Amino acid sequence: MAPKSSAATKQHATPAPAAAPEASPAAAGNALQSLLNAYNQNTSPRLKLIDAFLVFLMISGVLQFLYCVLVTNFPFNAFLAGFGSCVGQFVLTASLRSQVNPANRNEFKDISPERAFADFALGSIVLHFFVYNFLG
Amino acid sequence: MLLRRAAALLALVLTACARSSTGDSVLVVLDPSLDKDAYSTFWAGLTDKGYNLTFRTAKEAQPEIIQDEVAQFSHVVVFAPESKNLAQDLTPQALVSLLDKGTNLLLALSPSKQTTINTLASEFSLVLPPPGTPLISHFPARDAPATVVPVSPPAAHPVLSSGLPPVWFSGVPFAYTPNPLLIPILSAPAESFAADTSSDSGADAVFESADRAGEGLWAGSSLSLVAGFQATTGARVTFVGGVETFSDEFAQKELPQGKSSGNKQFAEDVAGWTFQETNALRIDKVEHHRVNETEPREMYTTNDNVVFTLHVSKFNPIKDTWEPYSGIKDMQLEFTMLDPHIRTSLPPIPGKAGEYSVAFRVPDRHGVFKFVVNHKRKGWTHLESTTVVPVVPPRHDEYPRFLSAAWPYYIGAMSTSAAFVLFVALWLSGDDREGRKKGLKTE
Amino acid sequence: MRLSFVLLSSLLAAGEAFAGQLSIQQARFSVLGSDASQLRLEPISLAPANKAKPVHLGASDTLKLTFTVVAKEQDPDAEPKGLQTHQTFVRFHDVQSGEEGVVPVRVAQNGKAKFELNMARPPSALPPTPLQGNETAPLSVTLLLGSFEHSPYSLELFDLYLPPSQPAPEHPDEKTFHSQPEIHHTFRPEQKVPSKFVSGLAALIVAGGPWVVLLGLLSQVPLSTPHLLSPSVLPFTISLTALEALLFYYWVDLKLGQVLAYGAVLGLVTTITGRQALQKRGEWRLQGAQKK
Amino acid sequence: MATKAYTLPTNVAPETVANIRSLVRIVSLALISAAAISSRLFAVVNFESIIHEFDPWFNYRATKLLAAKGFYEFWNWFDPTAWYPLGRVVGGTIYPGLMATSGVIYNVLHALNLPVDIRNICVLLAPGFSALTAWSTYMFTKELKDESAGLLAAAFIGIVPGYISRSVAGSYDNEAIAIFLLMFTFYCWIKALKTGSAFFGTLAALFYFYMVAAWGGYAFITNMIPLHALALILMGRFSSRLYVAYSSWYAIGTLASMQVPFVGFQPVRTSEHMAALGVFGLLQIIAFAELVRSHVSSKQFQTLLYASVVAMGLVGFFGIVGLTYKGWIAPWTGRFYSLWDTGYAKKYIPIIASVSEHQPTAWPSFFMDLHMLIFLFPAGVIMCFSKLRDEHIFVIIYSVVASYFAGVMVRLMLTLTPVVCVAAAVALSSLLDTYIDPTEPVPEEIEPTEAEATPQDPAKKSKKAAPAGNPTSLGEYFSRFTGNTNKPRGIFGINNRLIVLFNTFGMLVFFVIHCTWVTSNAYSSPSVVLASTGADGNPHIIDDFREAYYWLRQNTPEDAVVMSWWDYGYQIAGMANRTTLVDNNTWNNTHIATVGKAMSSSEEVAYPILKKHDVDYILIIFGGLLGYSGDDINKFLWMVRIAQGVWPDEIQEPNYFTKQGEYRVDDRAPDTMKNSLMYKMSYYRFNELFGGQQAMDRVRGQQMPKQGPTLDYLDEAFTSENWIVRIYQVRKEDILGRDLKIANAFEQGRKRKKTKPPVRRRALA
């Protein structure tokens, strides 16, 4: 998925973008524009923090994937471990994000942000255990 | 001439104290009709070497050859061309079972009768002509009967000593079906043939015998007169077409061109080979270990470099001892699982007597492998050795680690966990007043 | 060598021992094609010196050999008379392989002898002549005469080329009695590894790139870390870090058992610290909520 | 105040009710576990504490090694005595979960100074885990309906034959723990999905890992969960909870599953695992789409978005297809195909078809294994439809898929059983709820607590009462309620309720009786020791197998190689401790085919094969004397087929049938059959038993030929008491290099025909 996915929040009070119904590329262009603005305006720093890390994980994942495709996949287990750690960490963090996001409070009734973080920590530790075990 | 006589004499003196590598007791089974003293030279030769001979006639059952499954003699000589069948304990089956027990046999075929030995011969892939067809040769012209033939032994033969003068022979020739265990020692002269007629009037009979029973003519050097046979147990058998070959008469009888015959030496050579004096080898020890190690491994890992060493010695009849023997140049080692994965020559190590050694790299394929040495040469003891070693894949911790190719992956994993730590720190230390977000939201 | 010398000498020596010396006359051979057409007809000279040129037989040709067996009497001017000998054989011998076959010849009372070799129906005694390259080895053909009254006689007739046959039968185990061809194992090719430089560079990129971006983004985000060192939170952070360190060290070198043991202990600590840290954070959050 | 069919004691404080309820729940769970364990001990009681069947013997052997030498040795274990001479890298070719489990238990017990024999741990592992299974089924069903249904389900799974068949004491096989893991993983998954907590996702991943390490059937989970997720998505039920649950499960679970050497890279390389990967990708895309869609309100943008989503989906799909085509992703394996086309295996991979438990299920066995549950099952599924929460969808999918598979393969009955129990429990408990709930339908609801309070008691009671076999106790139990009531009769009248209830309890009673009967009679035989009843009706133990295996152990050299059909490989290794050519881990078809060829070809053809593989002894199973139908002659055709698969021009199946296409062993049997090694070994000296009159094969029910077969290349070494096991020794080569047939003739003093001198020249062919 593209970086923008992480750069999107679920808040409803978004100022409607000034996109008139025209040729879709242009529409897409300023739709993205408005998206970014909306994001920058009304995302709490904590969510931004998370998003920063999501971007980080994605980039390092992509880099490893490129290396695997372009150069070598020889210790395949090592690749899977490295790449898997990025992907796994990414989804865990994404999960955390959607859990602490106040907008989703009604979906996660019985999961407080703290509980979410505890889950996140546990998940990551387990993940990393397997990663290092598989790194070879 | 003189010199050679002297040499022969000397050899005789030296071999006086010689012995077999498998034992000294010999049982000699003779025809009642056969005059024992007519073979005194042969017997003397044996006793001089240190054998103790026990004589018994073909009919009497004492002393027994096998007592409760144990062979009583290490060698058995059967010179009974006249008696159709032998005593109870000398059935063909019994004789074969003797070979199984490692006893060596020296057997004389009968030119005239279908004796036990003649029937037994077919088990050793010998093919005999019909009874009563002795070997006849009109070549060379000589003042001996046509059935008494001077045969010149092969120039170089593993069993016979070299430079042997022609040998007087009188008896039955035989053909043989191909069998690597069989070693023809003396083959008939090219001009000789087997026939049951004794005058030129028999010419037509000879001609007809050719297409009788489609056997063709029993003639030429493809026939054999004396043949050795080495069973897979290592026991040796020798079939002799005619007993007289060992007789004193033939030993003294002069050759047409007036030289003394080679019968005496020939008899000694044949007996020596049959009784495991000569060409007797054995494997003393087998060693295998990794290169730069000394102890053998329970199991080897794929791609190991392994050294295999074989110790061979040869029996020295003169000293009556086994001596390290490096004389084999074409020994081969196989590393086998189902089929040989590696076959390489196993050369003798110069300087180390009797040691044959080779180092090689174990195939990159796991399984239960065998070091196989299977050195079989005609006239020599077969050297067979099999050592089983499992070849296993590397242990989980024997694979190479920290490969350069994987650096990016290692780094990636590490930076992820580093990032995780940083994130945890920031997250926990940051403050989230819901107020903030609410505030933002409401605006 | 020695052998032949012996035979020869014995032959000469035999001169006086016997009534006479066997020999042949009017010896000639001919080669007939399948349609009985005569391809070749030559007399055979008794002098070994001028031996006939090699004879080639086709798959359906026939070799004809006719001669009269005679015995030379003592006095040279006596007329040699034909007779029947005990042994009248033709010997085919492959000098290279030692393969040999002997075929008898029928001789009439008056010594007239006729021998036919019909390759359409060859006698079983004939030795095998396998192809060697594109040629079969020649068989030297010898005539053997032997009798009880006269001294024997042998004459080398000519070299004979026969159509190819199968090689001589061999026992299946025969080959194990000679040294066999060597076998070498072909190993799997080594995993090819990119140059250290390339992977090193890649490693640097993987290590550097994302972090630059991360720090860049973080600089954008208004971060406030008031509780970084607060006693309630710090232990949790530390213990989590410790866990990560343990896992990393597990990779460097630790056994599974060890890491599980240490992990269990650390995990316990972490749960305790985590519990109280998160409680604290919960309070902060809620009071933050109350503030408004 | 609602009218009630009968009054309940009202003077009880709600919390006491709650306490009592939980107490009763715990007690009944404990009792259920007890029932589950004890009903699996028939095997030990009837026979002895012994490992059953075939595979368990290997697991047992492996566990012993693990217990003795430790984990790392076990991991690196190369077994040179299996698959001789190929050997077997055991560490890389097994699911170590089972051994690891009992290894841990062993070490823990010894740490507590409880010196328990490893064998007993192995024997009792399955019953122990069956209790856990009952518990996890309880948890699972609780999520679906409520505790009462959970207890019913637990009771069902505890004693249902379909599960007992694989988990009696001594059947020490992967399934023993796998079913527990299966249910618990599903429970975690459902829980994670409900609450959307990464914690349960992680837990699910961990148990998934355990499952992968324990049983090849993990693929079932690998495809069930994605299927469920996909279904939810298609039903428009996507939610962040689903995202959290699935992502955390897949990300951790997949990485974890690859730690098992046997599985290795399969999760990213083989098609069986691609569904999970695909759904994972799809979820990411959809999550992204959802986020943005909920965020932006621009028509074009949405269309654009959908276009891109669809495009991504297609790209992903075709990507996978392409990779499969290029061979990066292994296509479906044969075992997998055989699930769709039942004829497939027989045609292409006889080795799989030959396994008895891969045969399609016979209808009676459904009733045999599930009894009344089989008709409660659909009702339960219907009820799931009535309230269609996510977890219900899961159960529905599960039941559909599992029913199909159970129809295809006998062994997959095992995966069906749990969901049947769950569904049946749901159905039955709602039935009971309806009829026990005292309130008569009035508009306003009564608080659910009382409704819940009662139902699970009778359910439980019935289970307890049934074995005792006096259902009357139920009656007086109810009179407690009915005593102080004088309500109007009619449809809600107590009597009508009682009729239904009694029938239900009756069914339960019969269910229990049936289960007990089946378990004790059908599923408790170790098959290593056979039981039969003599003429006088006394039980009579047939112990030929162990007799023979111990003979091997005692009378043959340590390194002797024993050839047998693969079924007996593990037992030979385990009991006789001798080297085998092939065994029940059928990883190398060619090697098995080699054995098949040796068995199905004539002596002189087989002999070189035997020699090449250094075979010293051949072991065969022969039931002809006793009428033991599972013998090698009946398996013979599989040997032929498998051999034919590799050597089509040397072995042809039709040659083993008569002209009329019958499979016979009497004089009408074709020569190929009569000359085959297997036939000769089976019937060698068989006639002698019948002293004179004609021999009779009791399995095939055919008269044997007057003239029994003769053997030239083998010697009979051992034949067990009832002739079930026959062991032959392979002759050494003749010392004179003769063919053994000729050597034999010579030994028996037969005249050999005169040989002619060989003809050297042969015309070119």
Side-chain angles (χ1 to χ4, degrees), chain B residues 138 140-141 152 191 197 200 203-204 220-221 257 332 343 345 362 364 377-378 401 417 428-432, chain C residues 3 6 10 14 84-87 100 147-149 152 174 179-183 185 188 224 226-227 244 251 281:
Chain B
H138 300 293
S152 22
E191 304 83 359
T197 50
D200 288 357
D204 295 342
S221 58
Q257 64 276 31
Q332 285 184 317
R343 188 190 288 132
S345 71
V362 172
D364 52 2
R377 295 294 179 268
K378 290 178 185 174
R401 296 191 68 201
S417 24
L428 288 177
S429 59
D431 68 337
D432 57 341
Chain C
L3 154 62
V6 169
S10 60
Q84 192 178 32
T85 46
H86 186 231
Q87 172 189 24
E100 181 199 60
S147 119
F148 289 95
E149 286 90 29
E174 183 64 32
S179 66
Q180 304 182 55
E182 296 215 334
I183 299 174
H185 181 75
R188 270 184 243 97
S224 62
H227 315 297
E244 280 296 327
W251 176 59
R281 288 207 57 85

Side-chain angles (χ1 to χ4, degrees), chain D residues 528-577:
Chain D
V528 176
V529 183
L530 308 172
S532 76
T533 48
D536 54 358
N538 299 346
H540 170 241
I541 295 292
I542 297 168
D543 207 355
D544 283 36
F545 288 96
R546 285 193 293 178
E547 183 192 355
Y549 292 138
Y550 291 149
W551 181 89
L552 273 176
R553 182 190 275 275
Q554 303 297 342
N555 301 284
T556 61
E558 286 284 327
D559 56 356
V561 178
V562 182
M563 180 175 98
S564 75
W565 189 235
W566 59 262
D567 301 28
Y568 316 105
Y570 280 163
Q571 290 185 346
I572 294 173
M575 285 188 257
N577 185 24

Side-chain angles (χ1 to χ4, degrees), chain B residues 84-276:
Chain B
K84 249 181 139 342
N85 38 24
L86 307 168
Q88 263 324 315
D89 60 344
L90 280 179
T91 59
Q93 287 74 11
L95 289 168
V96 171
S97 72
L98 276 178
L99 291 178
D100 206 359
K101 298 173 168 47
T103 310
N104 306 303
L105 306 176
L106 177 54
L107 309 172
L109 296 163
S110 161
S112 51
K113 296 199 176 61
Q114 184 67 16
T115 63
T116 311
I117 304 300
N118 289 31
T119 37
L120 179 63
S122 60
E123 299 301 323
F124 296 78
S125 63
L126 304 187
V127 184
L128 272 62
T133 53
L135 183 75
I136 293 178
S137 179
H138 300 293
F139 296 74
R142 60 189 183 280
D143 49 9
T147 53
V148 177
V149 187
V151 186
S152 22
H157 191 280
V159 172
L160 302 175
S161 45
S162 57
L164 207 57
V167 172
W168 285 111
F169 176 86
S170 160
V172 59
F174 47 84
Y176 52 89
T177 52
N179 181 346
L181 297 174
L182 188 73
I183 310 120
I185 296 174
L186 192 64
S187 46
E191 304 83 359
S192 65
F193 62 104
D196 49 7
T197 50
S198 51
S199 73
D200 288 357
S201 55
D204 295 342
V206 171
F207 181 85
E208 272 127 25
S209 76
D211 27 336
R212 189 200 311 142
E215 285 173 355
L217 204 56
W218 295 82
S221 58
S222 59
L223 298 181
S224 183
L225 306 176
V226 179
F229 187 103
Q230 182 164 283
T232 54
T233 53
R236 293 171 177 175
V237 195
T238 305
F239 286 93
V240 184
V243 197
E244 288 84 348
T245 319
F246 295 94
S247 65
D248 302 356
E249 182 198 348
F250 279 15
Q252 283 120 27
K253 188 179 176 66
E254 287 225 328
L255 291 171
Q257 64 276 31
K259 284 197 268 84
S260 72
S261 73
N263 285 57
K264 185 170 187 304
Q265 186 58 40
F266 179 80
E268 271 181 13
D269 288 346
V270 169
W273 179 81
T274 314
F275 297 168
Q276 310 269 358

Side-chain angles (χ1 to χ4, degrees), chain A residues 31-52:
Chain A
L32 293 181
Q33 194 50 253
S34 62
L35 203 60
L36 283 180
N37 301 341
Y39 173 75
N40 287 328
Q41 284 164 20
N42 48 31
T43 313
S44 74
R46 290 182 73 73
L47 290 187
K48 284 209 177 112
L49 173 62
I50 294 184
D51 296 334

